Amino acid sequence: DVQLQASGGGSVQPGGSLRLSCAASGFTFDDYAIAWFRQAPGKDSEGVSCIDSDGSIWYADSVKGRFAISSDTAKNTVYLQMNNLKPEDTAVYFCAADTTWRSCRSMGVIPFADWGQGTQVTVSS
C-alpha cells in the first residue's frame, strides 16, 4: 500500500525558506514519480513540482527559480526546497505519487492516484 508522509511546513516571513520532505513507501523507489501540489483556501489544487526516476523534473512557472525538488533514493524521500517565499505561496502542500505512468508526464494529464496528508505553509509578515 502506498504511503506518503509530508513534513516541514511552517510559518515564515516573505523571503524566507522552508524545506518540505515527503517520505514514501509501498512502491519501488527506482520507478516512481512524486509531485508536490498545493491548495489554498477556495482554490483548486495546483501542481508545484515533480520528480521521477527517469530524471525528469518539472516546476510550475510560479515557482521556477525559487523552488528546487530533489530526491534521496536511499531514504525513499523527496524534498522541496522553497526559497524566497511569497505570501501567494501560502497553502497546504501535499505530496502525491503517480503509480500509473510513474512519470512526470502525468502532470496535468492524469491524476496522481496516491496522496499524503498535507503540511501547512504560511508566508506572511
Side-chain angles (χ1 to χ4, degrees):
D1 193 26
V2 176
Q3 299 289 330
L4 301 169
Q5 181 179 330
S7 62
S11 297
V12 298
Q13 294 183 337
S17 297
L18 287 171
R19 189 194 194 199
L20 305 184
S21 298
C22 178
S25 63
F27 57 95
T28 56
F29 213 70
D30 60 351
D31 186 12
Y32 71 90
I34 293 179
W36 290 96
F37 296 81
R38 65 187 182 187
Q39 186 170 27
K43 296 182 62 179
D44 291 335
S45 63
E46 61 175 337
V48 176
S49 187
C50 180
I51 188 167
D52 69 32
S53 55
D54 293 331
S56 294
I57 292 176
W58 176 90
Y59 298 101
D61 288 343
S62 59
V63 306
K64 285 181 179 177
R66 299 189 297 119
F67 291 10
I69 193 167
S70 62
S71 64
D72 186 333
T73 301
K75 296 181 179 179
N76 284 8
T77 300
V78 169
Y79 304 97
L80 185 68
Q81 179 67 45
M82 305 186 296
N83 298 320
N84 192 23
L85 284 161
K86 302 176 180 180
E88 51 263 44
D89 295 318
T90 296
V92 178
Y93 283 70
F94 302 86
C95 59
D98 169 35
T99 54
T100 303
W101 291 356
R102 304 177 303 282
S103 169
C104 287
R105 296 177 185 178
S106 296
M107 297 294 291
V109 180
I110 62 171
F112 276 54
D114 299 290
W115 289 57
Q117 295 296 110
T119 185
Q120 177 71 48
V121 172
T122 301
V123 185
S124 66
S125 299

